[in-house]
Amino acid sequence: MTIDEVLETYDDSYAQRYDESFLLTPDHGFLHKTRFEVELLRELTYGAASWLDVACGTGYFLEHGRGRPNIMCAGLDLSSAMLAVARRRNPDAVFVQGSFLEPRADFRGRWEVTSCMWGAYGLQETLSDIETLVTNLAAWTAVGGRCFLPVFDLSLFEDRRVRGVLIPGVEVDLARDRWSFREPDGKVHRDMLTPPVTVMADMLRRHFGEVESVPYPITPGQENSLPMIAVIATKQENVAGE
């Protein structure tokens, strides 16, 4: 998606309904997904002094994912509408409006935990853009710090398509590593770029040094819910990709 498309989608109306549509609804296992991610973030931030959530959206995860109450939090997002909600939710956090493709020297090595939730990396037009994001996440993460990046598994999307249980409105283009989502109200996520999990893990390994993959738990009765892998990277010194 282009920047204009992202901003058109993530407008005031979207910001107001985002949590109920994608974080708190039990449909498609979204609520169980959110709870798993919140618990994982609490574990990661429990002993950390600082946390940067990239593409922070409405700030839901910054509000609920703190493992320690006094952790220094910040959020970066392109959408002013989403940030307005995030600021109301997290009055003690610092928020910056802008692109996660910009280098931001003031963020460098500053955060013990970084995160980029809900497949926001897929909003990019090219694989090079995704690598720029990963490069920035690694640069912004302190040595010894960790980064949480939920990664889509497009092969499982395709499996669900073949079996006729794919989420309504989702279309998969496996040959191009892309998927699209048209919502009932007309909002569109066009050509979301979703490289294979192995490609994403290797990219993170190049820039961080150490990578762990954690499958999302299967929700009983919702075996066809959103297929994602939790990738957790640990920043090591003198990584070749840096």
Side-chain angles (χ1 to χ4, degrees), residues 73-143:
C73 292
L76 172 69
D77 202 276
L78 197 60
S79 167
S80 60
M82 301 290 271
L83 284 174
V85 178
R87 288 189 176 100
R88 289 196 298 270
R89 236 187 194 141
N90 300 274
D92 60 335
V94 174
F95 290 97
V96 177
Q97 183 179 358
S99 170
F100 52 44
L101 300 182
E102 298 172 1
R104 301 193 178 277
D106 56 323
F107 281 2
R108 192 171 185 86
R110 182 176 171 185
W111 311 98
E112 293 184 18
V113 175
T114 57
S115 56
C116 184
M117 308 300 293
W118 246 113
Y121 68 91
L123 295 169
Q124 307 316 298
E125 293 281 284
T126 68
L127 186 62
S128 176
D129 287 338
I130 293 179
E131 183 133 22
T132 296
L133 164 62
V134 172
T135 300
N136 285 340
L137 286 169
W140 299 339
T141 306
V143 173

Side-chain angles (χ1 to χ4, degrees), residues 49-199:
S50 57
W51 171 24
L52 170 67
D53 191 23
V54 174
C56 66
T58 63
Y60 179 92
F61 290 105
L62 284 173
E63 179 184 16
H64 297 281
R66 306 186 191 199
R68 53 185 293 184
N70 61 341
I71 188 171
M72 180 177 65
C73 292
L76 172 69
D77 202 276
L78 197 60
S79 167
S80 60
M82 301 290 271
L83 284 174
V85 178
R87 288 189 176 100
R88 289 196 298 270
R89 236 187 194 141
N90 300 274
D92 60 335
V94 174
F95 290 97
V96 177
Q97 183 179 358
S99 170
F100 52 44
L101 300 182
E102 298 172 1
R104 301 193 178 277
D106 56 323
F107 281 2
R108 192 171 185 86
R110 182 176 171 185
W111 311 98
E112 293 184 18
V113 175
T114 57
S115 56
C116 184
M117 308 300 293
W118 246 113
Y121 68 91
L123 295 169
Q124 307 316 298
E125 293 281 284
T126 68
L127 186 62
S128 176
D129 287 338
I130 293 179
E131 183 133 22
T132 296
L133 164 62
V134 172
T135 300
N136 285 340
L137 286 169
W140 299 339
T141 306
V143 173
R146 291 182 290 178
C147 175
F148 173 30
L149 185 69
V151 174
F152 285 112
D153 188 338
L154 199 61
S155 66
L156 295 181
F157 272 72
E158 176 65 7
D159 172 72
R160 284 152 174 73
R161 186 194 67 79
V162 171
R163 292 190 287 113
V165 294
L166 193 62
I167 296 172
V170 172
E171 296 180 356
V172 178
D173 188 342
L174 194 61
R176 297 173 57 239
D177 291 333
R178 294 177 185 269
W179 61 279
S180 299
F181 178 40
R182 179 178 293 275
E183 299 181 61
D185 66 357
K187 293 287 188 184
V188 177
H189 285 70
R190 176 192 59 82
D191 277 351
M192 297 284 287
L193 181 55
T194 310
V197 174
T198 53
V199 171

